[in-house]
Amino acid sequence: MEQTYEPSVAPSNNPQIVEEVQKNDPRAQMGAREHPRIVASYGGEYKDDRTERLVARITGALTAVSENPNQSYRITILNSPAINAFALPGGYLYVTRGLLALANDASEVAAVLSHEMAHVTANHGIERQKREEAEVIASRVVAEVLSSDLAGKQALARGKLRLAAFSRQQELQADVIGVRMLGEAGYDPYAAARFLDSMAAYSRFMSVDPEADQSLDFLSSHPNSVQRIELARRHARNFGPEGQTGDRGRGYYLDGIDGLLYGDSPQEGYVRGQTFLHGNLGIRFDVPAGFQIDNKVEAVLATGPGDIAVRFDGVADNNNSSLTNYISSGWVTGLLPETIQPTTVNGMEAATARAQAERWDFDVTVIRNGNRIFRFLTAVPKGSAALETTANALRASFRRMTPEEAASLKPLRIRVVTVQPGETISTLSARMMGTDRKLDLFKLINALPSGATIAPGDRVKLISE
């Protein structure tokens, strides 16, 4: 059926700008109501004048060729490394800095934005809203019951993505409108198919890690398929042959994202190899060799050989009570009270204990530093001798950062460089930071297929401090 699909839609003649939506349909106030919650669940807004001007330039070109050029849009760049973009009723558009980092030219971002703008101009959000009142109620309950809890924020974010998920027919309609807008705005109309390929490659790259949480990524809310990519190419052919049609806008796009924050933000701390460092909190620790660190919003997780798992987080220390009392205050299930012991860790007050569950043994370590309590939870299969050695290694490595260390800690950024004579994909990828899969990630963020080469004068993206 997909292969014989013919477009039969056009943007709405009654565009849903914020004021009109809120006046005529109280259910469509969702865009305005949910905006601050979505921003919060994605780490806030990403503020950078150059990047904001770039996105505004692309959106302006698309708006000018819309059947509804008076439609207003509120575009927010989200401070998240996830690859995502979505729309809410009322012209609220969102794109993550992670998606901007993956794209290689303006036409690819234009393809994503035109697709989301098409959902707005075709009133898909209002149609969806009428069908999903139960989801709105559920998200409201989550917001009220779990508003101060990170898990609640994550549940809320997933609820928003379900609300942002359109029907298959609506996705195809938005594809058709989006490709038309791309072509008429003078962009390369084949960018939609090209960027769908890039996002599929990103998904494969991430899936190497089975623990990677992709629920907040574009492909989880935008169904992908070979047929859909071919459909986008078929409609692009209306504008001319591939490779000879439209402007990719690569030069000014790379200028606009040079220096873009990549990966972890300073507010969440950094992973550098086997070490987690948080300059704002002034603490650091190392995981043993062979462990993999995953810095998530709610906690730092680490996994190691033999099914060992570590969770690290921090909470405000409001009561300043003894740490032995804190451990036994009810937040640890299966605690063995007789194992609670006060101790010190590199000059900081601490306490340790053991806990048990059906198949697991746990070490619980809490450390006070300033007005915060930091918590390590180490889990091993029941009876494993690795519990003590792993927990001891974590404790021994946890320490305050020196002012010099904190000052020298810099986030990773996208750096655009010009290929010099003698440089190759191998030599350039060796300069990548923040990953042990340097070559794979270099090819991915530069959309270089297997067997591709680079030449002096080409501009490529690197990830470095």
Side-chain angles (χ1 to χ4, degrees):
M1 230 162 39
E2 287 173 335
Q3 294 173 338
T4 60
Y5 170 79
E6 294 297 333
S8 60
V9 296
S12 167
N13 291 323
N14 180 29
Q16 299 294 320
I17 63 175
V18 175
E19 293 79 3
E20 289 301 310
V21 168
Q22 294 180 350
K23 184 174 69 176
N24 296 330
D25 188 343
R27 289 170 298 194
Q29 293 178 10
M30 188 190 79
R33 187 180 68 242
E34 303 300 347
H35 172 75
R37 296 176 184 171
I38 282 187
V39 169
S41 68
Y42 273 86
E45 294 187 38
Y46 181 71
K47 295 291 190 181
D48 179 85
D49 289 345
R50 185 166 49 174
T51 309
E52 291 175 55
R53 284 196 300 269
L54 172 67
V55 174
R57 173 178 179 174
I58 295 169
T59 309
L62 295 170
T63 303
V65 300
S66 168
E67 275 88 346
N68 295 308
N70 294 324
Q71 167 75 60
S72 65
Y73 295 98
R74 176 171 180 167
I75 301 179
T76 302
I77 303 173
L78 297 167
N79 188 20
S80 168
I83 312 292
N84 212 348
F86 48 95
L88 291 178
Y92 287 79
L93 300 183
Y94 304 88
V95 61
T96 60
R97 61 174 170 81
L99 187 145
L100 298 178
L102 180 63
N104 274 282
D105 57 52
S107 68
E108 292 182 352
V109 174
V112 172
L113 291 178
S114 64
H115 175 97
E116 300 305 333
M117 292 166 73
H119 282 309
V120 175
T121 56
N123 285 343
H124 287 163
I126 304 305
E127 297 169 18
R128 175 194 58 206
Q129 182 75 359
K130 291 173 182 175
R131 293 194 308 270
E132 301 201 10
E133 288 295 328
E135 186 68 59
V136 176
I137 294 168
S139 71
R140 195 174 297 143
V141 170
V142 170
E144 291 168 359
V145 175
L146 299 171
S147 60
S148 63
D149 184 81
L150 282 168
K153 291 180 182 177
Q154 285 197 312
L156 196 59
R158 290 176 177 82
K160 298 303 167 290
L161 284 187
R162 286 194 293 274
L163 279 168
F166 295 95
S167 72
R168 179 72 177 178
Q169 181 75 357
Q170 287 174 333
E171 291 289 357
L172 293 172
Q173 290 174 351
D175 282 347
V176 172
I177 298 171
V179 169
R180 179 200 60 72
M181 290 173 67
L182 266 184
E184 292 189 3
Y187 286 115
D188 176 7
Y190 293 89
R194 195 168 66 246
F195 196 53
L196 280 169
D197 282 336
S198 285
M199 286 188 289
Y202 165 82
S203 185
R204 290 192 297 272
F205 177 84
M206 293 298 290
S207 69
V208 172
D209 175 10
E211 300 298 319
D213 180 3
Q214 298 170 54
S215 61
L216 299 185
D217 285 343
F218 188 89
L219 291 177
S220 66
S221 56
H222 294 68
N224 196 14
S225 68
V226 174
Q227 291 88 348
R228 187 176 170 202
I229 294 173
E230 180 50 40
L231 179 71
R233 285 203 172 95
R234 179 146 56 87
H235 287 290
R237 292 187 194 111
N238 294 330
F239 293 91
E242 189 166 5
Q244 303 174 37
T245 307
D247 176 32
R248 291 193 174 187
R250 180 168 167 82
Y252 71 81
Y253 184 77
L254 292 178
D255 292 340
I257 65 165
D258 191 13
L260 180 74
L261 188 65
Y262 183 87
D264 298 332
S265 69
Q267 292 74 28
E268 294 176 5
Y270 306 108
V271 175
R272 296 289 188 268
Q274 305 299 110
T275 304
F276 174 78
L277 311 99
H278 202 304
N280 293 349
L281 297 176
I283 54 96
R284 58 173 290 166
F285 66 86
D286 305 316
V287 297
F291 276 64
Q292 180 82 26
I293 306 179
D294 188 9
N295 185 16
K296 293 187 178 294
V297 172
E298 73 277 16
V300 179
L301 307 178
T303 52
D307 292 333
I308 306 172
V310 176
R311 176 189 169 100
F312 170 82
D313 64 10
V315 294
D317 182 13
N318 296 320
N319 300 324
N320 199 34
S321 61
S322 76
L323 291 183
T324 53
N325 287 343
Y326 175 75
I327 278 190
S328 60
S329 61
W331 61 278
V332 180
T333 303
L335 184 73
L336 303 176
E338 68 276 12
T339 65
I340 300 175
Q341 291 184 342
T343 185
T344 59
V345 170
N346 289 320
M348 292 171 279
E349 180 190 356
T352 64
R354 294 291 170 89
Q356 291 180 342
E358 185 178 343
R359 294 172 40 241
W360 301 92
D361 290 334
F362 299 94
D363 178 276
V364 184
T365 297
V366 294
I367 306 167
R368 175 177 281 132
N369 183 35
N371 60 355
R372 295 189 71 80
I373 295 174
F374 295 100
R375 312 186 296 192
F376 283 103
L377 191 65
T378 305
V380 301
K382 188 170 285 295
S384 170
L387 181 60
E388 187 167 354
T389 55
T390 304
N392 286 345
L394 289 168
R395 279 194 292 269
S397 73
F398 184 87
R399 63 175 177 82
R400 299 184 182 100
M401 294 177 66
T402 66
E404 293 75 22
E405 283 177 315
S408 67
L409 190 59
K410 295 181 175 62
L412 296 178
R413 297 186 181 274
I414 294 289
R415 302 295 183 189
V416 178
V417 300
T418 301
V419 179
Q420 302 299 313
E423 290 184 321
T424 65
I425 289 176
S426 294
T427 62
L428 283 166
S429 64
R431 294 163 56 185
M432 297 273 286
M433 296 177 63
T435 177
D436 55 2
R437 299 158 64 194
K438 297 175 185 287
L439 180 61
D440 290 343
L441 188 56
F442 177 80
K443 288 181 176 179
L444 175 64
I445 64 171
N446 288 289
L448 294 172
S450 180
T453 58
I454 53 177
D458 290 347
R459 300 176 76 196
V460 294
K461 294 182 290 185
L462 292 176
I463 298 168
S464 66
E465 290 184 343

